[in-house]
Amino acid sequence: MAAPTEKEPASGSESDLTDEVRRTAEELKNQANSYFKDKGYEKAIEFYSRAIDLNPYNAAYYGNRSIAYLRTECFGYALSDASKALEVDSSYVKGYYRRASANMAIGKFKIALKDFETVVKVRPNDKDAKAKFTECNKIVKRQAFERAIRVDDVKKCVSESINLESMDIEDDYSGPALEDGKVTVKFMEELMEWFKAQKKLHRKYAYKILLDVKEIFEQQPSLVDIKISDGSKFTVCGDIHGQYYDLMNIFRLNGNPSKENPYLFNGDFVDRGSFSVECILVLFGWKLLIPDSFFMSRGNHETETMNQMYGFEGEVKTKYSAQMAELFTEVYNLLPLTHCINSKILCMHGGLFSRDDVTLEEIKKIDRNRQPPDSGVMCELLWSDPQILPGRAPSKRGVAIQFGPDVTQRFLELNNLDYIIRSHEVKPLGYEEAHNGKCITVFSAPNYCDQMGNKGAFITLNPPDLSPKFTTYECVPHPNVKPMAYANSLLASFM
C-alpha cells in the first residue's frame, strides 16, 4: 500500500475553500464511509485520500482514514493520520483515540497512555475514555512490574518448573494419546479430527509437545538450510493466524505433511483467529513427528506483546493455563528466523533490512532467544514490507522499514540468491510477485479475520526448477467463534 499523500496547505482554513470544493470533498468522504461500512478498506482509503486532497483542513477526514489504516494493519500510517488530524484540530478527541489505538497495536503502551490521559482530562465524565485509560494503565504497570522482577536479564525458565509426572490422565479422557510419550501418525490424525470437533487435548500431552519441540528448536540456528532433492515437492505456507479450519483445508488440498511431502510454515501461526491453540499444537506435532521435513519460521506474532494484545495469550489461559502461555513464549523465542532452500531461496516472515551489507552468515548467528528488539536485523526480518518505489522508507506499520526492488536486488546479489519468499501481508489472491519476481509474498489465511475477503495461497517448489507455483483457495466454514474473541478488550474495541 502506498504511503498517504496530500497537499500541505501553507496556511488557511476550510473557510478559504469554495462551497463546491467542500461539498465535493464531503461527498467523497461519504463514499469512503460506505466502503468502510462494507469492509472495503482499500477503497475507503482511496476516497478519504481524495477528500483530503480537496480539503486538507478537515480533521475528521484524517481521523477516518486513520481507522481504515488500522483495519488494514498499517499502524504507522494510522499514527501519522491521527497526528495530522490533531495538527488540524487539537480539540478533535477521536484523533487521540486513533493515535492511542495505533500505538497499542505495535506495543507502545506508555505512549498510548498519554493520549488516553489527554482524553480523560478533556472529557472527565466520559466513562468509555476512563475505562480505556484504566485498562491501558494496568498494562503499563504490569510491564513495569515484570521488568522490575527480572534480575540482570536472567530469564525464569518455566519449562524447568513443569512436572509431567504429577499430571494424571483422567479416566473419562477419550482423546488422542501419545504413544510412549511420542507423537505418531495415528496421534496426529486423531488430534486433527479431535480439534475439528472443538475438543481439547489433555494438558499433559500439550505440555509434553511443547517441552519436546522446545528441545528441537533450541538446537537449530537462526537460519536453517533446507535441501530439496530433484523430482520432489516442497510447500511453503504463509500466515495462518489461528484459522484452524483453513489450515485443515490446506492439508486436504495438498496432503498431510510427511517425509515425502515436506512443508515450511512462514510465521504468524497464532493471534486474531480464535483457534490458535489448535493450530500451533498441530504444527508443533508435525514438527516432532518429521523434524527434518517440517519447518517453522518465527513471525512478528510469535512474540509476547502481540500475544497479549491479539488473543493468543487469552486463548491459552482460557483453554489451559497462564503457565502454559509462558511456556509458549519460551518456545517462540527459539523458533528459527529464516530458512534457505537449496542455497537459492531465502524465506522469512517480514522482509529485508535497513543496511545493504547483511549476509546469510550474519543472520545465522543472530541471538534470537529473546523478545524482538525495536530495530535491527532481527526486527526487520519479522516486520519489514516491500514497496514499489526504489530505496527505503519508514514502515507503514510503524516498525522496521519498507524496501524497494533495488534493495532486494542488492541483497540477492550479495548472497548469491535467486529470490525471497515472505509473508506478513494480506493479498487479494493470497500471494503477490513483486520486485520483478524477486520478492514473493504468500498469505495462507483466506478471508482474514472473517472480513477481508481475500483468498489464501501456498507455494509449491519442484526442484531442479525452483520457480514458484501458486495454489489459491477460498475460506471454509468454521464454528461460530469470532476472530479476536480472546483479544485484549481495549484493542478489540478499536479493531
Side-chain angles (χ1 to χ4, degrees), residues 9-304:
S11 61
S13 66
E14 190 170 7
S15 61
D16 296 329
L17 304 176
T18 66
D19 289 343
E20 182 180 356
V21 166
R22 280 187 274 122
R23 278 197 303 270
T24 303
E26 192 67 10
E27 289 170 3
L28 289 167
K29 184 264 292 183
N30 291 335
Q31 287 179 272
N33 287 349
S34 295
Y35 282 118
F36 184 92
K37 184 178 179 181
D38 293 335
K39 301 177 181 178
Y41 303 122
E42 299 281 355
K43 291 295 290 184
I45 289 167
E46 176 190 335
F47 277 78
Y48 287 135
S49 298
R50 289 169 60 183
I52 288 169
D53 285 342
L54 287 177
N55 181 2
Y57 305 107
N58 191 312
Y61 295 173
Y62 295 99
N64 288 2
R65 190 171 68 175
S66 178
I67 195 169
Y69 278 132
L70 283 171
R71 295 293 172 85
T72 56
E73 302 187 9
C74 295
F75 305 124
Y77 292 170
L79 272 172
S80 177
D81 268 358
S83 294
K84 182 62 183 177
L86 292 170
E87 287 178 25
V88 171
D89 181 1
S90 61
S91 66
Y92 180 64
V93 176
K94 285 185 179 179
Y96 296 103
Y97 277 112
R98 301 283 186 264
R99 193 163 66 182
S101 178
N103 274 313
M104 287 193 65
I106 56 177
K108 296 183 177 180
F109 303 109
K110 289 182 71 174
I111 299 174
L113 184 62
K114 292 180 180 178
D115 279 334
F116 284 132
E117 187 175 17
T118 299
V119 175
V120 170
K121 287 179 179 178
V122 172
R123 295 183 175 179
N125 297 321
D126 188 328
K127 293 181 180 180
D128 183 62
K130 284 184 178 180
K132 287 179 169 60
F133 172 79
T134 301
E135 180 64 23
C136 189
N137 197 30
K138 286 180 182 177
I139 295 171
V140 171
K141 287 182 176 180
R142 182 182 68 185
Q143 289 187 333
F145 173 76
E146 290 171 350
R147 285 193 298 270
I149 62 176
R150 293 173 186 157
V151 181
D152 295 329
D153 291 329
V154 175
K155 299 170 184 173
K156 180 179 66 174
C157 193
V158 177
S159 56
E160 294 178 0
S161 67
I162 295 168
N163 183 2
L164 290 175
E165 297 303 319
S166 68
M167 300 180 191
D168 295 325
I169 307 295
E170 294 79 9
D171 291 339
D172 62 351
Y173 176 72
S174 60
L178 299 174
E179 297 180 23
D180 297 323
K182 302 294 183 183
V183 171
T184 63
V185 172
K186 178 175 179 288
F187 172 83
M188 290 306 303
E189 291 173 347
E190 291 180 354
L191 180 65
M192 292 189 294
E193 292 302 316
W194 189 253
F195 283 158
K196 284 181 185 177
Q198 291 185 271
K199 297 179 181 179
K200 189 172 74 171
L201 178 67
H202 194 279
R203 69 187 182 105
K204 183 171 185 175
Y205 299 136
Y207 272 115
K208 177 64 172 169
I209 286 173
L210 287 172
L211 293 172
D212 288 353
V213 84
K214 179 177 182 285
E215 291 185 9
I216 291 179
F217 288 134
E218 64 189 357
Q219 299 303 316
Q220 295 186 309
S222 291
L223 187 156
V224 175
D225 288 305
I226 301 173
K227 301 299 180 186
I228 318 170
S229 58
D230 290 356
S232 62
K233 180 182 81 169
F234 188 86
T235 302
V236 181
C237 297
D239 301 42
I240 298 299
H241 274 301
Q243 296 185 198
Y244 179 74
Y245 296 85
D246 294 308
L247 173 62
M248 291 299 97
N249 190 41
I250 292 173
F251 293 154
R252 183 187 67 82
L253 294 170
N254 196 54
N256 283 342
S258 67
K259 291 181 179 179
E260 296 74 32
N261 191 26
Y263 280 82
L264 164 62
F265 281 82
N266 203 26
D268 280 14
F269 322 113
V270 300
D271 276 339
R272 292 203 178 262
S274 296
F275 302 94
S276 292
V277 166
E278 291 78 3
C279 286
I280 196 62
L281 288 177
V282 163
L283 295 175
F284 281 168
W286 284 116
K287 180 64 181 177
L288 288 172
L289 183 63
I290 47 170
D292 297 326
S293 302
F294 195 89
F295 305 92
M296 299 174 68
S297 295
R298 189 176 188 176
N300 66 303
H301 277 266
E302 278 69 59
T303 55
E304 192 171 22

Side-chain angles (χ1 to χ4, degrees), residues 44 50 169 235 254 272 310 361 370 394 419 425 447 449:
R50 289 169 60 183
I169 307 295
T235 302
N254 196 54
R272 292 203 178 262
Y310 288 93
E361 192 62 27
R370 55 178 171 153
Y419 61 93
E425 286 184 286
N447 194 26
C449 290

Side-chain angles (χ1 to χ4, degrees), residues 321-377:
S321 67
Q323 182 192 51
M324 186 178 287
E326 291 182 42
L327 180 56
F328 269 111
T329 296
E330 285 187 9
V331 177
Y332 289 162
N333 284 349
L334 294 167
L335 283 165
L337 301 175
T338 56
H339 293 78
C340 191
I341 301 171
N342 284 7
S343 302
K344 288 299 179 184
I345 307 168
L346 188 67
C347 303
M348 76 288 286
H349 179 72
L352 297 181
F353 315 104
S354 53
R355 295 173 17 226
D356 273 341
D357 59 348
V358 177
T359 64
L360 299 188
E361 192 62 27
E362 178 181 350
I363 295 170
K364 187 170 290 188
K365 293 178 179 178
I366 292 173
D367 178 13
R368 69 185 186 278
N369 187 11
R370 55 178 171 153
Q371 291 302 293
D374 292 333
S375 60
V377 172

